[in-house]
């Protein structure tokens, strides 16, 4: 019975690690394509503003080019094609996988660091996202170094064992 439980826990741990690795790299690539952590919707003052699609609830009533019956108007906004959507979803999967791994490990300190490491990496990426900190003008090499540091923080911990 105990052997069956430990085998199940080992399978869950392996699945969480594999899922976490895949989601992490999807997150990193999508974030780079999106131009940084843009899915938080922070403006130059660090205030949440949300993504703007140019569409409001009143657009169908005020704009003749938008509507169900208008087939000649512009293509509808397809949110699922945006890299920031892939970035946000992949990061959510990274966190879910980290929590799953933390529970499967059943040791307090490694469990906490397993969840905190990707959050720290996210924080680094938020800071170097253009426009988040208005007074900073980071050069290409500084930004690249920060992105590599963010990747290293998560990868070092994820591959430590």
């Amino acid at each position: 019975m105990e052997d069956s439980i430990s085998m199940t826990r080992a399978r869950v741990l392996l699945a969480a690690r594999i899922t976490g690795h895949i989601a992490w790299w999807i997150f990193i690539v999508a974030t780079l394509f999106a131009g940084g952590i843009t899915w938080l919707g922070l403006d130059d003052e660090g205030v949440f503003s949300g993504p703007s699609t140019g569409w409001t609830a009143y657009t169908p009533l005020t704009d003749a080019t938008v509507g169900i019956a208008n087939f000649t108007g512009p293509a509808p906004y397809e949110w699922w094609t945006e890299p920031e959507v892939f970035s946000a979803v992949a990061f959510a999967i990274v966190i879910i996988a980290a929590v799953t791994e933390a529970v499967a490990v059943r040791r307090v300190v490694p469990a906490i660091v397993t969840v905190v490491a990707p959050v720290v990496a996210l924080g680094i990426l938020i800071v170097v996202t253009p426009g988040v900190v208005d007074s900073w003008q980071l050069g290409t090499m500084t930004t690249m170094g920060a992105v590599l540091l963010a990747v290293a923080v998560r990868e070092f911990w994820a591959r430590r064992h």
Side-chain angles (χ1 to χ4, degrees):
M1 179 75 158
E2 179 69 29
D3 197 34
S4 173
I5 293 171
S6 68
M7 287 297 293
T8 302
R9 195 170 72 227
R11 286 186 183 120
V12 168
L13 182 61
L14 180 63
R17 286 183 179 163
I18 290 170
T19 302
H21 289 315
I22 292 169
W24 172 253
W25 286 107
I26 292 170
F27 164 69
I28 290 297
V29 171
T31 298
L32 293 175
F33 272 86
I37 304 296
T38 56
W39 43 268
L40 289 177
L42 298 175
D43 64 10
D44 292 344
E45 283 109 33
V47 177
F48 180 77
S49 63
S52 174
T53 63
W55 187 89
T56 68
Y58 301 105
T59 301
L61 301 175
T62 60
D63 188 354
T65 63
V66 177
I68 296 172
N70 183 8
F71 297 106
T72 61
Y77 175 69
E78 297 172 341
W79 59 268
W80 61 89
T81 64
E82 297 293 328
E84 65 187 10
V85 172
F86 286 98
S87 174
V89 169
F91 188 74
I93 293 169
V94 166
I95 294 300
I96 291 168
V99 169
T100 304
E101 182 178 343
V103 169
V105 168
R106 296 175 61 178
R107 292 188 325 247
V108 175
V109 173
I112 291 170
V113 178
T114 298
V115 176
V116 169
V119 174
V120 168
L122 175 69
I124 294 169
L125 293 173
I126 289 170
V127 169
V128 299
T129 295
V132 171
V133 181
D134 193 35
S135 62
W136 287 10
Q137 295 291 21
L138 299 177
T140 302
M141 295 307 289
T142 305
T143 302
M144 185 173 73
V147 170
L148 291 174
L149 176 63
V151 169
V153 165
R154 194 270 175 185
E155 287 298 304
F156 175 76
W157 182 255
R159 299 182 188 276
R160 78 207 176 290
H161 34 84

